[in-house]
Amino acid sequence: SATPNIVFILADDMGYGDPSHAGGKAPTPNIDRLAAEGVRFTDAHTTSSVCTPTRYSILTGRYNWRSPLKSGVLTGTSEPLIPPARTTVAGFLQERAYTTYVVGKWHLGLGWSKLPQARTADSGKTEGPGWDLDYSRRVSGGPGDLGFSHSFLYPASLDMPPYIYLRDDTPIGMPTVTKAFKEPHRPGPALADFDAVNCLPDFARESRAYIARSVAAQKPFFLYLPLTSPHTPTVPGEHWQGRSGIGDYGDFLMETDWVVGEILAELDAQGIAGDTLVIFPSDNGCSPMANIPHLE
């Protein structure tokens, strides 16, 4: 097809040798299926192998050092890195009749509105950055200003506050409590019902629903799915705990693979697998917080 559907799934801090087809000990049948049925790329180079620069380059096609961020990463409260006038892959495809959707970890900054005075937690201690943000207002400089038709976002890495989702650039609720998840345990404002363990199931559900809607609308689609895993906090869901036999990291890797499987299952169910390009990289290698000596 001249307009194939495009699904770009970006793992976060997944080691080169982690999938089972590459020698990993945790079963990853869905990532292995991509390798078996498609093309495997094994020689990769980068100018900055961390989260924010990777995302900048993926979406803009530019070297990351052409952005204002010359090293390191942004936080969940940082200003937008990509100016609205910059062409993105999403905007390029939108101009060619694609619907475009991002589900998952943004980590490119958002233009939050500020409160005249910082709020406090409704219960417990008020800790961490983000209590001075106005969560009742749409953010600027987010996906909606950069070529995406729709979005369901977590602002940055899952170990960075605020612990909240945004739908179509608007927070889905008001953070009222302080939360932090496992190591590196960074406290900050959170929705009362937000739990890091729910992110992967939420992203899988949102992605499948979007694919189904796009097929029903008979429009080609671009789904950009930057996952929060297996980056810290390493929080496999209850169903996955103990499944790998090599600890939480292996379990979380298996749940990451499950998300890939959910996407492939929806493409198969909709009968569009043969007309869809699926791309699966990782932004960089396994984090030391996976406790690599213990894994060895």
Side-chain angles (χ1 to χ4, degrees):
S1 169
T3 54
N5 307 303
I6 303 168
V7 178
F8 193 104
I9 308 170
L10 181 64
D12 196 7
D13 281 14
M14 193 185 84
Y16 176 88
D18 287 356
S20 45
H21 74 260
K25 302 300 182 185
T28 55
N30 300 295
I31 299 171
D32 295 353
R33 178 186 167 193
L34 289 178
E37 296 180 7
V39 178
R40 187 172 169 225
F41 296 90
T42 58
D43 190 5
H45 306 265
T46 177
T47 56
S48 182
S49 61
V50 285
C51 301
T52 301
T54 301
R55 285 156 177 74
Y56 177 86
S57 293
I58 285 170
L59 290 182
T60 65
R62 308 176 89 223
Y63 284 118
N64 65 276
W65 38 260
R66 295 194 190 280
S67 82
L69 185 74
K70 304 307 181 187
S71 64
V73 301
L74 299 181
T75 70
T77 60
S78 296
E79 290 296 312
L81 186 62
I82 303 176
R86 174 68 55 202
T87 298
T88 65
V89 173
F92 176 86
L93 291 171
Q94 203 175 52
E95 291 172 358
R96 284 150 182 83
Y98 278 73
T99 65
T100 54
Y101 195 33
V102 53
V103 179
K105 167 185 161 170
W106 185 238
H107 213 172
L108 285 163
L110 296 167
W112 299 98
S113 297
K114 296 289 184 72
L115 295 168
Q117 185 174 347
R119 296 176 64 252
T120 57
D122 287 358
S123 60
K125 293 171 65 178
T126 302
E127 296 181 79
W131 291 100
D132 60 340
L133 305 182
D134 187 348
Y135 295 100
S136 68
R137 299 182 64 182
R138 180 186 185 274
V139 298
S140 62
D145 294 338
L146 295 171
F148 285 97
S149 311
H150 295 286
S151 59
F152 182 79
L153 289 189
Y154 183 78
S157 289
L158 193 49
D159 55 13
M160 295 177 176
Y163 300 109
I164 188 172
Y165 292 135
L166 294 86
R167 188 182 294 280
D168 293 343
D169 294 0
T170 303
I172 68 167
M174 184 68 66
T176 57
V177 297
T178 296
K179 291 190 179 184
F181 301 98
K182 214 174 173 182
E183 59 180 349
H185 194 81
R186 294 177 177 140
L191 297 176
D193 61 352
F194 184 91
D195 194 319
V197 77
N198 295 326
C199 283
L200 293 187
D202 289 345
F203 297 157
R205 181 195 68 245
E206 291 288 328
S207 298
R208 292 194 69 156
Y210 168 68
I211 292 170
R213 288 197 305 271
S214 299
V215 172
Q218 298 184 312
K219 296 196 72 172
F221 63 85
F222 169 53
L223 171 61
Y224 170 51
L225 177 54
L227 302 175
T228 49
S229 65
H231 190 288
T232 53
T234 311
V235 284
E238 184 177 357
H239 175 75
W240 300 99
Q241 292 168 16
R243 292 281 292 275
S244 70
I246 53 171
D248 286 347
Y249 182 79
D251 298 343
F252 209 27
L253 186 66
M254 290 181 67
E255 188 172 9
T256 302
D257 179 77
W258 169 80
V259 179
V260 176
E262 286 292 290
I263 303 305
L264 299 182
E266 190 63 36
L267 298 177
D268 288 337
Q270 297 291 340
I272 56 170
D275 199 28
T276 303
L277 177 64
V278 181
I279 305 165
F280 180 83
S282 179
D283 61 0
N284 44 264
C286 181
S287 164
M289 286 209 183
N291 194 348
I292 293 169
H294 172 72
L295 286 173
E296 289 175 344

